[in-house]
Amino acid sequence: MAVALDEIDVRLLKELQTDADRPNVELARIVGLSPAATLNRVRRMKEAGVIRHITARLDSATAGFALQVYLLVTLARHDDAAERRFAAEVASLDHVISADSVAGEIDAILMLVAHDVAELHVTLSRLSTRGGASRLVTLLRLAELKPSSPLPLRATSVHSRRSA
Amino acid sequence: MAVALDEIDVRLLKELQTDADRPNVELARIVGLSPAATLNRVRRMKEAGVIRHITARLDSATAGFALQVYLLVTLARHDDAAERRFAAEVASLDHVISADSVAGEIDAILMLVAHDVAELHVTLSRLSTRGGASRLVTLLRLAELKPSSPLPLRATSVHSRRSA
DNA sequence: GATGAAATAGCATTTGC
DNA sequence: GCAAATGCTATTTCATC
């Protein structure tokens, strides 16, 4: 599932995770390759799935969402049908902007946004009723401690095997 | 803090949050404006801070991180010095890829990645010792229930006031 | 198998309206 | 916000290492 990356790939990925909003020629200068070679590497990494997509990251507050909330969810039941039902409900709720299932003290962790408490309330209710959540712990996001940061990538050291 | 957005802005932001990896002329066609006008709107939204940045989103697993973990953190102390110390530790740990302080049953929620358990262990230890965390609840990410989705933006209805 | 250089087609960006 | 024009860029091609 993992993909081999050399030092140049790692450098490219680091740059693209930080700021993908610049010309390919600039990336090429940074990594010391020609624009064509740079373009090829980036295209390959997209095809390989290392780069999932390139997107704009918005500031939720500036976009009008006064409330940003993490939700720790415990499901009432854990059979396949219940889990599918929950996933479907999560998918249908616009205010849930991401969700992961997890192993640990809870079953899933969700990120939601809302303009006000009433809007939040509607989403929470839906998750309890239609979603089948038995316990919802709401964590109000107060501040960003560390912004979304690049992955600490390492080059796949194929050549170091020679000395091993 | 919030910014006024009309229907075209909302449409542009929705498209850019889904896929920012396409030419401005295509966006222009989608929203029915000229390329110049489209470019101006996007630039203004960047300056206004609605668009924080444009980045590549990687697939952690494909990039080699077998473990992706949410961490629920309770701090031992809550004075300013302790919080600054924790923030500094979080900032210095490469494997912590994002962190927010929250209000609720815990103090902060972190997202971490690791190649293996040993690597995870190191980061957890640092958060306990130097970071001053008194309780760490580890939630292992099993699956993505809902991918990072566009914000459910609404146009700021300035004109509807005429009928109000 | 990947890179570099050159060439073409296309786009970003500016200016005047 | 539009249309036209300029300059630069993305993208392909092909020879090369």
Side-chain angles (χ1 to χ4, degrees):
Chain A
M1 193 160 187
V3 143
L5 303 170
D6 66 14
E7 285 82 358
I8 295 178
D9 291 327
V10 167
R11 187 71 191 275
L12 280 172
L13 291 174
K14 184 190 164 208
E15 295 296 329
L16 288 172
Q17 286 181 93
T18 305
D19 179 10
D21 191 19
R22 46 190 168 172
N24 179 62
V25 286
E26 189 178 330
L27 287 177
R29 276 192 296 265
I30 291 172
V31 302
L33 288 184
S34 71
T38 306
L39 210 61
N40 273 330
R41 279 171 177 267
V42 174
R43 185 168 41 73
R44 260 179 274 145
M45 291 194 289
K46 286 174 184 167
E47 287 166 1
V50 185
I51 300 176
R52 285 183 66 175
H53 40 223
I54 292 177
T55 65
R57 309 252 190 146
L58 307 194
D59 185 298
S60 299
T62 307
F65 295 96
L67 304 176
Q68 299 144 49
V69 163
Y70 284 100
L71 207 63
L72 309 181
V73 179
T74 303
L75 295 180
R77 302 167 53 89
H78 293 84
D79 51 291
D80 278 7
E83 290 183 359
R84 272 198 304 272
R85 191 184 182 78
F86 180 69
E89 193 56 31
V90 158
S92 78
L93 291 169
D94 283 347
H95 290 80
V96 177
I97 59 170
S98 73
D100 287 313
S101 69
V102 297
E105 300 193 356
I106 58 163
D107 297 315
I109 182 161
L110 277 54
M111 180 84 187
L112 12 170
V113 295
H115 290 92
D116 49 45
V117 170
E119 211 175 78
L120 177 64
H121 193 183
V122 170
T123 300
L124 294 178
S125 297
R126 286 264 174 90
L127 289 167
S128 290
T129 55
R130 301 194 201 181
S134 69
R135 182 160 189 258
L136 296 178
V137 173
T138 301
L139 303 173
L140 182 64
R141 186 175 181 270
L142 296 178
E144 182 177 86
L145 230 44
K146 181 175 189 168
S148 187
S149 308
L151 296 174
L153 296 166
R154 295 185 308 203
T156 312
S157 45
V158 177
H159 299 297
S160 66
R161 285 183 192 159
R162 281 192 291 172
S163 58
Chain B
M1 194 159 188
V3 145
L5 303 170
D6 65 14
E7 283 83 359
I8 295 178
D9 291 328
V10 167
R11 186 71 190 276
L12 280 172
L13 290 174
K14 184 190 164 209
E15 295 294 331
L16 288 172
Q17 285 181 93
T18 305
D19 179 9
D21 191 18
R22 44 190 168 173
N24 179 63
V25 286
E26 189 179 330
L27 287 177
R29 275 192 296 265
I30 291 173
V31 301
L33 289 183
S34 70
T38 306
L39 209 61
N40 275 329
R41 278 173 178 266
V42 173
R43 185 167 41 74
R44 261 180 268 139
M45 293 195 287
K46 285 175 186 168
E47 286 166 1
V50 185
I51 300 176
R52 285 182 66 175
H53 39 224
I54 291 176
T55 64
R57 309 251 191 149
L58 307 194
D59 185 299
S60 298
T62 307
F65 294 96
L67 304 176
Q68 299 142 49
V69 163
Y70 285 100
L71 206 63
L72 309 181
V73 179
T74 303
L75 294 180
R77 302 167 54 89
H78 293 84
D79 50 291
D80 279 8
E83 290 183 358
R84 273 198 303 273
R85 191 183 180 79
F86 180 70
E89 194 55 33
V90 158
S92 79
L93 291 169
D94 283 349
H95 290 79
V96 177
I97 59 170
S98 73
D100 287 313
S101 69
V102 297
E105 299 193 359
I106 58 162
D107 296 313
I109 183 160
L110 277 55
M111 181 81 185
L112 10 173
V113 294
H115 291 91
D116 50 46
V117 171
E119 210 175 77
L120 177 63
H121 192 182
V122 170
T123 300
L124 295 178
S125 298
R126 287 265 172 91
L127 289 167
S128 290
T129 54
R130 301 193 202 182
S134 69
R135 183 161 188 258
L136 296 178
V137 173
T138 301
L139 304 172
L140 182 64
R141 184 175 182 271
L142 295 178
E144 183 177 83
L145 270 178
K146 181 175 189 168
S148 186
S149 308
L151 295 173
L153 295 166
R154 296 185 308 205
T156 312
S157 44
V158 177
H159 300 297
S160 64
R161 287 183 192 158
R162 282 192 291 174
S163 59

